[in-house]
Amino acid sequence: MARFIFITGGVVSSLGKGLASAALGALLQARGYTVRLRKLDPYLNVDPGTMSPFEHGEVFVTDDGAETDLDLGHYERFTGVHARATDSVSSGRIYSNVLEKERRGDYLGKTIQVIPHVTNEIKDFISIGEDEVDFMLCEIGGTVGDIEGLPFFEAIRQFANDKPRGQCLFMHLTLLPYIAASGELKTKPTQHSVKELRSIGIAPDILVCRSEGPIPQKEREKLALFCNVRPDAVIAAQDLKSIYEAPLAYHREGMDQAVLDAFAISPAPKPDLSIWEDVADRIYNPEGMVRVAIVGKYTQLEDAYKSIAEALTHGGMANRVKVQAEWIDAEIFEREDPAPHLEGFHAILVPGGFGERGTEGKIRAAQFARERNVPYLGICLGMQMAVIEAARHLGGVTDAGSEEFDLEAGQKRFTPVVYHLKEWIQGNQTVARTKTDAKGGTMRLGSYDATLSEGSRVAQVYGSLAIEERHRHRYEVDLSYREKLEEKGVIFSGMSPDGRLPEIVEVKDHPWFIGVQFHPELKSKPFAPHPLFRDFVRAAKDVSRLV
Ligand code: GLN
């Protein structure tokens, strides 16, 4: 039976609860335990699938095809445990389940209330698979005091009471603001936050306090006294130069020890932190630098491409270089020549995206990379743009485009080299969809197998001919252009196992030009960089040595 750790936040949002949870997961693993991490989000959207990346950051896709919160990406990157659909839930999903049950008559005509019906639904979610791991870490989104969050706080309070004593622990993350004028770290907001938490029946066992610098002993004692925690359960979480130092930094602060103490686990198993020491060494001691241009649409918000930024960092770690990723708005290339903007970069990455805006600019970026022998990685939409570029400039289909853009515009302007797929095979099942399916439900989502061609660059990069990668898209490259493009050296080197869907294209006589229909960034980890990112950065490093 798992022990449960509930992670809540106070004072302000964006304190890095997800990161703290993920790092704690890694530390428990380093002590030999198995873990699973979960996110409970109070917003009313049923899932983040249809939320704008500007609002919510990246949508993280799991192997089993759920569109989830980007914190699940942190969890995977730190623990290597593949997240599942049942590791992310929102108020919207909870209420929708409750209402569905109500309509079905499952509640036998009872009056449906937040307590117990909604809280029971939340508790059922928390306990899914509780026998599978030693520790289940559940992060509650938002901050204590948010109206939407209340049913979740109430549910975890009840949950801890339902379980035998000592099986659940509450960890609360807060901010200690530094007032420069008086040179003081202020504990009052934390005191208030804990007071709020206690007023709804939750007494935190561990306080994790974000601060710019170290927390002096005096403030630590004050926090312990006023917030009713043990002094050694006040954990300082100082700002770090790299998130990947978090497991080591939190360990130095005694976070994992405090957790084991709170559960009265004694003697505590010794931690093996060697992988995190290696990770920190690679991140803090690079031997060079490469510049990668990311030509995309959601460039204002870095979180929109969170996993790509992290996967590039991992690729850099594998090659012992720092990757300086610079975000360029694709629309610029619709007005201006890309050359002056892109010269000086050692590689170009065009990430995934939806909708037509900026796509002509992405096509020009792909053309620049292909013609100027700059390493290019096209992800999902980035592969589709590379194929359209090749079809236009090599394949003689001068009006090549994607059906996505014609459907959006409501008029036919392009020859669809990329088309809307209506039916495909997943495992041994046929999946079908129509244009009128609900927005969230029409994509090819989750993990699919692909078969790589022998002798191709990707086969060499992966060191295998059979791969599994995660997808999130509606449109596909039309196979009928294969022959025409292959004649010109654009090879379809990865295909779905039934041979119907192109998964990877690569340009033959080019230092490194690969487009993939899936999202490799979702599976990269600091201690196991994804092969495509590792080799892409290696190619960029080769270019950087030439200039
Ligand atoms: N918009 C494209 C599609 O739906 C690409 C999606 C993506 O890049 N994730 O196929």
Side-chain angles (χ1 to χ4, degrees):
M1 183 81 78
R3 293 180 168 93
F4 290 83
I5 302 173
F6 294 104
I7 299 115
T8 58
V11 182
V12 292
S13 58
S14 306
L15 279 179
K17 258 192 312 223
L19 176 64
S21 309
L24 175 58
L27 287 175
L28 291 168
Q29 285 180 320
R31 299 233 186 205
Y33 295 109
T34 55
V35 300
R36 179 161 289 281
L37 287 100
R38 273 199 177 141
K39 178 85 193 273
L40 292 84
D41 270 310
Y43 52 72
L44 284 167
N45 306 61
V46 174
D47 66 41
T50 47
M51 288 165 88
S52 160
F54 292 118
E55 290 256 337
H56 192 71
E58 164 185 281
V59 173
F60 190 80
V61 181
T62 59
D63 280 335
D64 54 3
E67 298 179 280
T68 69
D69 187 84
L70 60 85
D71 273 326
L72 270 74
H74 281 313
Y75 303 165
E76 279 202 23
R77 283 188 282 274
F78 279 82
T79 64
V81 177
H82 284 194
R84 301 178 187 153
T86 47
D87 293 329
S88 165
V89 83
S90 63
S91 290
R93 167 76 63 204
I94 294 286
Y95 280 100
S96 136
N97 290 354
V98 168
L99 294 178
E100 201 178 300
K101 286 185 183 168
E102 188 273 336
R103 292 289 85 187
R104 257 199 333 247
D106 290 9
Y107 299 120
L108 306 174
K110 287 234 162 24
T111 307
I112 310 306
Q113 295 179 295
V114 172
I115 305 172
H117 301 96
V118 170
T119 47
N120 281 352
E121 191 68 30
I122 298 172
K123 290 195 286 182
D124 287 348
F125 170 82
I126 293 169
S127 38
I128 295 170
E130 63 179 326
D131 295 327
E132 291 174 23
V133 287
D134 300 322
F135 287 93
M136 190 80 86
L137 283 70
C138 298
E139 177 191 347
I140 314 295
T143 43
V144 57
D146 296 346
I147 287 182
E148 298 95 333
L150 272 174
F152 287 102
F153 284 95
E154 169 60 15
I156 60 175
R157 183 196 67 74
Q158 291 176 16
F159 190 92
N161 257 351
D162 297 346
K163 291 286 177 198
R165 246 177 233 286
Q167 209 182 319
C168 298
L169 171 159
F170 295 98
M171 186 165 113
H172 190 55
L173 198 76
T174 71
L175 174 73
L176 297 184
Y178 178 72
I179 306 295
S182 59
E184 280 178 317
L185 273 181
K186 291 306 204 184
T187 64
K188 190 67 92 189
T190 299
Q191 295 178 40
H192 276 292
S193 178
V194 170
K195 195 170 156 197
E196 179 86 37
L197 206 53
R198 289 167 72 186
S199 75
I200 51 178
I202 295 173
D205 301 281
I206 295 175
L207 277 185
V208 180
C209 302
R210 287 296 309 270
S211 66
E212 274 173 48
I215 306 178
Q217 193 56 25
K218 195 173 108 242
E219 272 72 24
R220 226 177 254 266
E221 283 164 13
K222 191 167 169 191
L223 281 164
L225 184 63
F226 284 86
C227 299
N228 195 34
V229 299
R230 290 162 186 279
D232 52 9
V234 177
I235 309 297
Q238 290 182 54
D239 294 353
L240 300 170
K241 279 213 295 285
S242 163
I243 56 170
Y244 295 120
E245 197 196 337
L248 295 178
Y250 293 164
H251 175 70
R252 281 196 298 271
E253 276 294 324
M255 183 192 270
D256 43 334
Q257 189 60 53
V259 166
L260 298 177
D261 288 347
F263 283 119
I265 298 175
S266 170
K270 290 241 167 321
D272 174 4
L273 292 165
S274 48
I275 62 165
W276 294 104
E277 279 152 9
D278 180 53
V279 161
D281 177 52
R282 285 171 184 274
I283 201 113
Y284 286 142
N285 302 301
E287 287 158 10
M289 201 254 278
V290 299
R291 292 180 69 210
V292 178
I294 304 180
V295 182
K297 184 164 67 167
Y298 314 109
T299 47
Q300 300 96 318
L301 181 70
E302 212 181 301
D303 270 357
Y305 299 118
K306 187 76 193 150
S307 293
I308 289 186
E310 296 308 326
L312 281 171
T313 303
H314 307 159
M317 289 158 71
N319 291 283
R320 286 206 169 265
V321 291
K322 177 178 163 44
V323 176
Q324 188 170 318
E326 292 173 41
W327 313 80
I328 302 181
D329 181 358
E331 279 182 291
I332 295 174
F333 301 158
E334 293 170 7
R335 302 183 298 267
E336 295 171 34
D337 178 10
H341 294 276
L342 292 176
E343 279 160 2
F345 283 100
H346 306 125
I348 296 170
L349 189 152
V350 175
F354 292 86
E356 187 173 8
R357 191 163 64 78
T359 52
E360 288 301 321
K362 294 177 191 178
I363 291 170
R364 295 193 75 187
Q367 182 179 13
F368 176 88
R370 183 178 59 76
E371 290 177 352
R372 303 277 286 261
N373 285 331
V374 182
Y376 177 89
L377 175 58
I379 294 177
C380 208
L381 187 70
M383 153 165 155
Q384 297 172 356
M385 295 305 103
V387 171
I388 290 171
E389 189 279 316
R392 284 184 191 176
H393 303 121
L394 298 174
V397 191
T398 48
D399 60 351
S402 169
E403 201 178 349
E404 176 175 10
F405 313 147
D406 276 350
L407 289 175
E408 187 185 40
Q411 54 173 313
K412 175 124 186 50
R413 296 158 300 162
F414 297 116
T415 297
V417 169
V418 176
Y419 69 101
H420 188 234
L421 181 78
K422 310 280 186 325
E423 202 179 283
W424 67 95
I425 309 283
Q426 180 164 34
N428 39 25
Q429 267 186 319
T430 305
V431 190
R433 67 180 162 209
T434 62
K435 262 186 236 166
T436 50
D437 284 339
K439 260 242 160 26
T442 60
M443 279 195 263
R444 188 148 88 96
L445 274 172
S447 186
Y448 285 84
D449 296 338
T451 310
L452 312 185
S453 317
E454 227 162 309
S456 62
R457 180 185 289 276
V458 278
Q460 188 195 336
V461 168
Y462 275 94
S464 163
L465 295 182
I467 61 165
E468 264 172 55
E469 293 283 5
R470 292 184 198 165
H471 289 246
R472 180 173 185 252
H473 59 109
R474 296 187 176 85
Y475 298 85
E476 303 279 344
V477 169
D478 190 334
L479 205 51
S480 36
Y481 295 91
R482 180 175 191 166
E483 213 173 303
K484 209 178 237 172
L485 289 171
E486 291 204 331
E487 267 169 31
K488 302 286 180 184
V490 180
I491 309 299
F492 288 37
S493 53
M495 298 294 295
S496 59
D498 63 3
R500 286 173 58 199
L501 305 175
E503 293 276 10
I504 305 177
V505 296
E506 61 186 60
V507 176
K508 213 167 52 186
D509 297 314
H510 190 285
W512 210 98
F513 193 108
I514 294 176
V516 293
Q517 189 55 73
F518 46 79
H519 291 274
E521 72 275 18
L522 301 178
K523 284 172 74 168
S524 189
K525 295 165 192 84
F527 46 83
H530 191 285
L532 281 170
F533 281 89
R534 187 194 62 220
D535 208 53
F536 176 59
V537 174
R538 199 249 334 126
K541 187 175 165 187
D542 288 349
V543 172
S544 75
R545 292 210 167 127
L546 295 174
V547 288

